[in-house]
Amino acid sequence: MYQQFYQRFLQANQGKQHFASHSHHYWPDITRDATLAYWDDSARLVDDKWQRIFGEMIPQTQQLIADVLNLPAPDQIVFAGNTHELVMRLFSCFDLAKPLKVLSTDSEFYSFQRQAKRLAEFENIELITVATEPFASFTERFIAQAKAQQPDMVFCSQVFFNSGYAVADLAGFVSDLAKVTDAMLVIDGYHGFMAVPTDLATIAGRAFYLAGSYKYAQGGEGCCFMAVPPGSNQRPWYTGWFAEFGTLAAEKSALVLYSNDGNHFAGATMDYTALYRLHAVLLLFKQQGITVGRIHQYVKQLQQAFIAELARQQHPQLNQDKLLLENLDQHGHFFTYKLASTSEVAELSAFLKNNGIITDYRGDRLRFGFGLYQNSQAFDLSCLQRQ
């Protein structure tokens, strides 16, 4: 149904069943044309390409992202080469010489997790983590901690990378947090953007939202973005290439990627090939009427077909008992199976790869992801009977 858009990746991986879309999603064919378009623009325009990038490509991509997330102010979306840079910009909004309390979870992705743990080695910085499991009570427990701890920053994923569990009502979750704390609220939407239908209209003025093109946005690595709340007065000391809004105001139409109200979350000079790819994918989907809702429904069908296929194998390790799934309607686009040990997971993942089934794992958790390029009728896990 949708495989027509992925012919180059599919042809390059014949004989493989790729279940790692949550890690490295196949790219639509249009992204190759976009990569060449960036090269051609660079050759044709040379230094004048920045007029094209900042005057056309960035505003268009901002609008396409805003359309997906129902954001009221597209120009509040800023870009960076990776989410770590955006995380550091947020941390740099605070005076790190003073006490800083950060509330998060035990299931955040590495771009935040590793940096937060490193900062927490300083005596003045406190990192408080809330366990995501049991999932059924997570939101209540997290909000209770926000109320009790009164942190300076709250950082939480929309879909947790090590389980697939998704916050069911993101807008309600953020609104409830805002009622109990004045902290900076940050949502990591990397595993939710272009996978789980998301409407940020009612919380755009209160929460920062981070995501990127590497996973379900299908544009590949190198283009991450953050939606900055309109009217935010945060002023990070990590400025990037541009130092001050006021001194460069005359150049902003060509060079400066700041929010219109002076928020200093600019993207420094970088290779914008990835932005071209993301722009191409989002434009393709908009033209084809492929909404996130349609993607989500298709993937849920794939997931149900996968569960049925796996049940037929009656495998002692990969089965419903090992699946971290609270509710399929409150879940991202991958399944996570928690096994007895890291070595057991590594061995099983290697066995599957040797049989043409591509997965990935984190610790003792084996992950199977799903995307539009898959066809449920082609699912074949019969090799598990030989393992």
Side-chain angles (χ1 to χ4, degrees), residues 271-308:
D271 180 350
Y272 283 93
T273 308
L275 183 134
Y276 271 58
R277 294 195 302 260
L278 175 60
H279 175 275
V281 175
L282 296 180
L283 184 60
L284 171 69
F285 283 8
K286 183 174 183 178
Q287 292 171 340
Q288 295 290 328
I290 303 174
T291 64
V292 178
R294 283 183 61 185
I295 295 171
H296 191 50
Q297 288 304 313
Y298 184 79
V299 166
K300 286 172 69 175
Q301 293 172 8
L302 292 174
Q303 290 175 321
Q304 290 167 345
F306 178 86
I307 288 176

Side-chain angles (χ1 to χ4, degrees), residues 44-229:
R44 178 172 56 90
L45 300 171
V46 195
D47 278 350
D48 289 339
K49 73 181 180 182
W50 301 116
Q51 296 283 352
R52 161 95 168 125
I53 292 171
F54 284 92
E56 299 176 37
M57 295 301 294
I58 286 175
Q60 291 174 16
T61 307
Q62 288 173 316
Q63 185 62 61
L64 288 166
I65 293 171
D67 290 344
V68 171
L69 297 173
N70 198 19
L71 286 167
D75 58 357
Q76 292 293 121
I77 298 172
V78 296
F79 298 95
N82 54 69
T83 53
H84 180 261
E85 180 175 341
L86 296 171
V87 166
M88 280 308 299
R89 288 181 185 277
L90 292 171
F91 273 122
S92 77
C93 292
F94 301 94
D95 183 347
L96 298 185
K98 296 180 179 179
L100 176 66
K101 185 183 292 187
V102 180
L103 175 67
S104 190
T105 78
D106 63 353
S107 301
E108 299 306 317
F109 192 59
Y110 299 129
S111 56
F112 175 82
Q113 180 191 110
R114 289 168 178 160
Q115 187 62 72
K117 286 184 176 180
R118 177 65 180 89
L119 289 173
E121 293 179 19
F122 294 95
E123 293 183 358
N124 61 304
I125 299 178
E126 181 181 3
L127 176 62
I128 303 165
T129 58
V130 177
T132 54
E133 297 182 56
F135 300 127
S137 63
F138 167 71
T139 56
E140 291 80 4
R141 290 184 290 106
F142 193 79
I143 293 167
Q145 280 296 301
K147 182 177 181 180
Q149 299 292 338
Q150 288 301 306
D152 301 291
M153 175 193 283
V154 173
F155 192 102
C156 183
S157 289
Q158 178 184 15
V159 177
F160 295 101
F161 85 104
N162 61 355
S163 65
Y165 169 73
V167 175
D169 178 8
L170 184 63
F173 177 64
V174 170
S175 297
D176 288 343
L177 283 169
K179 293 174 184 176
V180 301
T181 179
D182 294 326
M184 173 190 283
L185 304 182
V186 186
I187 299 298
D188 182 350
Y190 219 131
H191 286 80
F193 179 63
M194 292 302 295
V196 179
T198 303
D199 189 334
L200 301 179
T202 61
I203 58 173
R206 185 62 180 89
F208 293 83
Y209 184 89
L210 285 68
S213 63
Y214 187 48
K215 302 186 187 300
Y216 298 107
Q218 306 171 42
E221 59 276 4
C223 185
C224 294
F225 69 86
M226 177 165 63
V228 179

Side-chain angles (χ1 to χ4, degrees), residues 348-369:
L348 182 53
S349 179
F351 170 82
L352 290 169
K353 186 174 183 179
N354 289 336
N355 284 272
I357 299 175
I358 311 303
T359 65
D360 83 328
Y361 61 93
R362 293 287 187 269
D364 61 357
R365 302 181 181 200
L366 182 64
R367 303 190 299 179
F368 291 80

